[in-house]
Amino acid sequence: MMKKYLYIAAAGLLSITGLTSCSLDEYNPSAGSATITNYDTWKGLQVNCYSTLYHELYSKSDFLFISECGTDLWLNPASKEYSRELFYYRGLGVERQEPRKTWQQAYSVIATCNTVINKADEVEGGDPAVINLLAAEAKCLRAFFHLTLATYFGPIPLCTNEVGFVDVAPHRNSLAEVYASVVTDLQEAAAVLNVEPYQGNYGRVCKKTALGLLARAYAQGAAEGLTEGNKSYWQRAKEVSEDMINNSAAYGMYLYDDVSDLWAVANNRGNKEALFTAAGLDATGVDANMAGTYLNASSYLYGYTRTNPNILSDLYKTQISSNSYLGNHNQDGIMAPTKHAIEVFGDWDKRYENTFLTAYGLFTIKDNAVLTPAYQTFTVGASTCLKYGINTKFANTKIRPYVQLAKSQQPGGEQTYAVGVYEKGDATNTKIIPTKNPLVVDMPLAVDEDRILIYLSKNDMTPEDKAERGYFCMNISDLFDADGNYSEELYKPGALNTNANQLFPTLVKYNWLFDGATRHLSSDGYDFRNGDVYIMRAAEIYLIAAEANVMTGTPAAAVPYLQKLHDRACRPGYTTPAIGTPTEQDILDEYAREFCGEHMRWPVLKRHRANGLMKNALQKYNKKAYENFNENIHYLRPIPKLFLDQIENAQEFGDNGYGYTASKGY
């Protein structure tokens, strides 16, 4: 069929991108000429290549769900089955919004990248070196979006259209063609991009971004049996990742010596370990740190993965609309970790508490007449001891607040941030201890802790262990039923049933509490966060190097890369266990420890499907998903119905086997 093209406003593959935009005649972010070859207009359009990163992909639930759910790490908590199509493959089809929005968001800016790249030689005015550099950025981003689409949707159309034109009868390219294009774009971008990002803006891609994505592309494409010349993609992944590690200084790649520094709130902005960053807004709510233009920059990622300690309202008492220092969001408790996500961490590994919050205390507001330390101090009464199984010897003792917050008014709205934590054992409540991250509570939790009300213990505590602690203790294993799902049964810690079964460990990687990251929206009563999200960081390069060595038959060579990650994660007083000879499953477990919740689990499992590891992981740790998992279709996400309804050749294009079209399409 002859291709037909439609003129539309700033579109990607289709006009139905779902993102507001304007035509080239209107698009003029730099106040230059409306002609695309004018330097100011062209440069302004280039900025828009970044727009969807924080606007949607890395700030909302959709991409988080398709990249993390339906795996061995995430379940719905008790009494909830939100988005069961993604969590458990139950009824997953072409109408789900999460695949649709991811498809739209990725394709929406590829045409912009194409225009920037294709018009670079025609731009009038501007420094030719800068034009060449910015075009290379666009190539890197085009490769990233094509790689994302191929990872989740399989054979896809390589979008070659420029802004303003749409192919209404698209045809899929083979995975070999897609990955070859991605690799070429990244190699060419890496050859041009500098070690430092343009104008020092860490929200922009640079040389280490392109090389890191190249290593990722080789690893992901390796699972498709792809080769480059006479080398497998696994071999190429090994070569690129090891080159980056061996020449880290030359590429500006950095790995923190202590994993707690990686997640320190002071290091969120401009994080030295980040290779590719979706950068958030600054304290005023304006685009000061980011290379992109946002239509909607509110991030609610933290809300989907937080538990709500207020369900134990007689124990966790506080009087504020944002009901804890965890924040307040209308979709609390959608993603809860599996038992495997908890148990995969060894006792030596402080990545556990840098990933999950399991000890919950109260907070104060600095200089607030109401939320003072005295007001937020909880007295353990005899009835509390009886109900929650706390030893009666602790009756009438005090549990003091844990975090001190402060508030400030900024043009972007009210800011809430952590000043520090109260010192343990200080009955005067006057000593505030600076902390790297107030949401990281050192483990194991001290027996004499006097600032924590609720503790979810990773290791099973005996009744005798609990009796020595003056706070409510619950074994995380008690949250699960025999099938590894969150139990629907009310939990009885002491004399009475409670809602404690609805608690779960909270992912804290997106719950930022530094000044400028949090804001309260009076319009809807909820908080959101504006911290930076790491699309890729140096630890992934170490893991790809280890993974590629295992997959190419040299597992012993993987040990130093794994050891590097273990050493920086080891708790004081502990030693890391011997690694031995790493296996493919060991690599998957290490990805779980290092990158839990970081938009990576589903694609990493998928690339190890050949030996049944993805299906086995579901069978062991996510039985609801395993019951519905169909290997014939579920290694790909569904092609969106909205897209299929808008093209002329839907039946030929296919829906990846989800039943809306006659064929898969590949």
Side-chain angles (χ1 to χ4, degrees):
M1 179 184 293
M2 183 178 296
K3 291 184 178 181
K4 297 181 181 180
Y5 295 93
L6 300 176
Y7 182 83
I8 60 166
L13 185 67
L14 281 181
S15 60
I16 51 166
T17 61
L19 297 177
T20 304
S21 56
C22 52
S23 72
L24 281 178
D25 290 338
E26 298 167 342
Y27 187 78
N28 191 9
S30 301
S33 167
T35 304
I36 189 58
T37 55
N38 173 271
Y39 175 71
D40 289 335
T41 303
W42 177 87
K43 187 178 180 183
L45 189 64
Q46 193 271 354
V47 169
N48 209 46
C49 295
Y50 290 87
S51 60
T52 197
L53 294 177
Y54 208 94
H55 162 75
E56 281 283 354
L57 280 177
Y58 289 93
S59 66
K60 306 299 185 294
S61 64
D62 306 289
F63 187 52
L64 181 67
F65 284 3
I66 77 160
S67 60
E68 286 288 324
C69 299
T71 70
D72 55 346
L73 298 186
W74 299 103
L75 303 169
N76 285 140
S79 304
K80 293 185 180 180
E81 285 207 348
Y82 188 92
S83 193
R84 64 186 185 180
E85 296 89 345
L86 272 297
F87 281 83
Y88 308 125
Y89 303 98
R90 191 179 303 168
L92 179 61
V94 298
E95 295 191 15
R96 280 305 301 178
Q97 73 170 16
E98 295 90 348
R100 171 180 59 79
K101 290 183 71 175
T102 300
W103 176 275
Q104 292 171 333
Q105 290 151 20
Y107 269 125
S108 69
V109 293
I110 292 177
T112 304
C113 295
N114 291 338
T115 303
V116 169
I117 295 164
N118 295 344
K119 299 298 184 184
D121 290 340
E122 303 174 31
V123 173
E124 300 171 356
D127 184 341
V130 172
I131 293 171
N132 194 37
L133 183 70
L134 296 182
E137 287 186 15
K139 279 189 179 181
C140 182
L141 292 167
R142 179 173 67 180
F144 168 73
F145 290 119
H146 273 140
L147 174 60
T148 299
L149 288 162
T151 298
Y152 293 96
F153 298 100
I156 56 159
L158 280 168
C159 179
T160 58
N161 301 333
E162 294 184 14
V163 170
F165 295 93
V166 165
D167 183 356
V168 296
H171 294 273
R172 297 183 189 231
N173 291 85
S174 69
L175 284 176
E177 291 171 328
V178 174
Y179 276 91
S181 174
V182 168
V183 165
T184 297
D185 270 353
L186 292 172
Q187 289 174 335
E188 292 180 356
V192 174
L193 293 171
N194 296 324
V195 171
E196 295 298 323
Y198 175 60
Q199 294 183 332
N201 187 338
Y202 68 81
R204 289 183 177 272
V205 298
C206 57
K207 187 179 293 292
K208 63 185 177 184
T209 314
L211 291 173
L213 289 174
L214 182 61
R216 179 188 284 184
Y218 281 131
Q220 202 67 43
E224 312 302 333
L226 299 178
T227 60
E228 185 176 279
N230 61 352
K231 293 182 178 180
S232 72
Y233 264 34
W234 278 126
Q235 179 63 30
R236 292 293 290 122
K238 176 180 183 296
E239 292 170 356
V240 174
S241 57
E242 290 187 336
D243 172 65
M244 290 187 72
I245 293 168
N246 294 334
N247 298 285
S248 293
Y251 294 130
M253 189 172 81
Y254 182 87
L255 192 76
Y256 284 101
D257 292 331
D258 187 330
V259 76
S260 63
D261 290 326
L262 166 66
W263 298 111
V265 292
N267 294 331
N268 177 264
R269 302 294 199 203
N271 190 281
K272 291 192 291 185
E273 187 166 318
L275 304 180
F276 188 10
T277 300
L281 304 184
D282 73 354
T284 65
V286 299
D287 180 22
N289 297 322
M290 176 55 180
T293 302
Y294 306 138
L295 301 175
N296 179 357
S298 302
S299 174
Y300 294 117
L301 289 183
Y302 81 96
Y304 304 114
T305 59
R306 71 175 285 270
T307 197
N308 184 5
N310 279 85
I311 60 173
L312 306 183
S313 58
D314 55 347
L315 177 63
Y316 192 88
K317 292 183 176 180
T318 186
Q319 306 291 328
I320 190 169
S321 59
S322 297
N323 56 21
S324 76
Y325 57 91
L326 298 174
N328 185 30
H329 186 251
N330 63 339
Q331 291 290 5
D332 290 337
I334 291 173
M335 291 176 64
T338 62
K339 286 184 71 175
H340 178 56
I342 302 300
E343 294 172 349
V344 73
F345 292 93
D347 290 344
W348 57 271
D349 196 340
K350 63 183 175 184
R351 286 177 294 188
Y352 174 67
E353 58 261 38
N354 280 272
T355 300
F356 294 114
L357 176 65
T358 57
Y360 301 90
L362 295 176
F363 66 99
T364 65
I365 299 292
K366 185 179 180 182
D367 301 325
N368 187 298
V370 176
L371 293 174
T372 62
Y375 185 84
Q376 292 288 80
T377 295
F378 181 80
T379 300
V380 181
S383 61
T384 303
C385 291
L386 182 66
K387 182 175 182 179
Y388 290 100
I390 300 172
N391 193 320
T392 55
K393 71 180 182 180
F394 293 106
N396 298 316
T397 59
K398 307 287 187 182
I399 297 181
R400 303 179 300 105
Y402 182 62
V403 177
Q404 186 187 71
L405 301 177
K407 290 190 175 184
S408 63
Q409 292 292 333
Q410 298 286 348
E414 183 180 75
Q415 304 288 320
T416 304
Y417 59 95
V419 178
V421 300
Y422 288 91
E423 185 177 86
K424 181 168 72 75
D426 175 29
T428 66
N429 296 308
T430 57
K431 297 179 181 178
I432 306 297
I433 308 301
T435 178
K436 291 181 181 180
N437 188 333
L439 290 160
V440 175
V441 181
D442 290 339
M443 294 286 135
L445 193 65
V447 173
D448 63 345
E449 179 59 65
D450 64 346
R451 303 161 298 172
I452 296 299
L453 289 158
I454 301 168
Y455 175 47
L456 307 180
S457 178
K458 175 179 175 291
N459 296 326
D460 284 354
M461 299 175 65
T462 65
E464 292 75 20
D465 292 334
K466 295 178 181 179
E468 295 304 311
R469 300 167 186 257
Y471 42 88
F472 169 45
C473 301
M474 183 180 186
N475 293 330
I476 292 175
S477 62
D478 290 339
L479 293 168
F480 298 94
D481 62 21
D483 289 328
N485 298 310
Y486 278 89
S487 175
E488 302 296 325
E489 300 294 326
L490 292 175
Y491 185 67
K492 189 175 182 178
L496 301 173
N497 289 330
T498 70
N499 291 320
N501 69 300
Q502 297 178 39
L503 298 171
F504 56 87
T506 293
L507 182 76
V508 295
K509 290 180 176 180
Y510 303 117
N511 199 347
W512 308 286
L513 279 177
F514 58 90
D515 191 8
T518 71
R519 206 164 97 214
H520 183 72
L521 287 180
S522 57
S523 59
D524 62 13
Y526 301 115
D527 295 336
F528 66 83
R529 305 290 193 254
N530 274 334
D532 292 349
V533 177
Y534 314 130
I535 298 172
M536 191 173 203
R537 52 187 180 84
E540 184 177 348
I541 304 303
Y542 281 78
L543 265 176
I544 289 174
E547 181 182 16
N549 273 290
V550 168
M551 300 306 292
T552 54
T554 56
V559 173
Y561 306 121
L562 298 175
Q563 192 66 55
K564 182 78 171 179
L565 299 179
H566 286 194
D567 288 344
R568 72 174 190 156
C570 191
R571 291 193 185 114
Y574 288 78
T575 56
T576 61
I579 293 176
T581 302
T583 65
E584 198 172 352
Q585 184 60 53
D586 291 332
I587 295 297
L588 290 181
D589 290 346
E590 197 63 36
Y591 269 105
R593 298 181 192 104
E594 186 68 34
F595 290 105
C596 182
E598 295 186 56
H599 300 86
M600 288 180 60
R601 191 57 177 176
W602 192 87
V604 167
L605 283 181
K606 175 189 170 181
R607 69 185 184 225
H608 292 277
R609 67 190 185 276
N611 292 329
L613 294 187
M614 182 171 182
K615 188 175 181 180
N616 291 345
L618 298 180
Q619 185 176 18
K620 289 180 180 179
Y621 307 119
N622 188 346
K623 288 183 170 56
K624 286 184 180 180
Y626 177 74
E627 290 169 1
N628 301 296
F629 189 72
N630 181 346
E631 289 190 281
N632 290 322
I633 61 174
H634 286 145
Y635 288 126
L636 294 176
R637 300 308 200 182
I639 303 296
K641 177 180 181 295
L642 187 60
F643 167 81
L644 294 169
D645 287 347
Q646 295 293 317
I647 62 176
E648 297 176 351
N649 60 333
Q651 296 302 315
E652 176 191 353
F653 192 92
D655 68 349
N656 285 347
Y658 284 85
Y660 187 66
T661 59
S663 67
K664 288 184 178 181
Y666 64 93

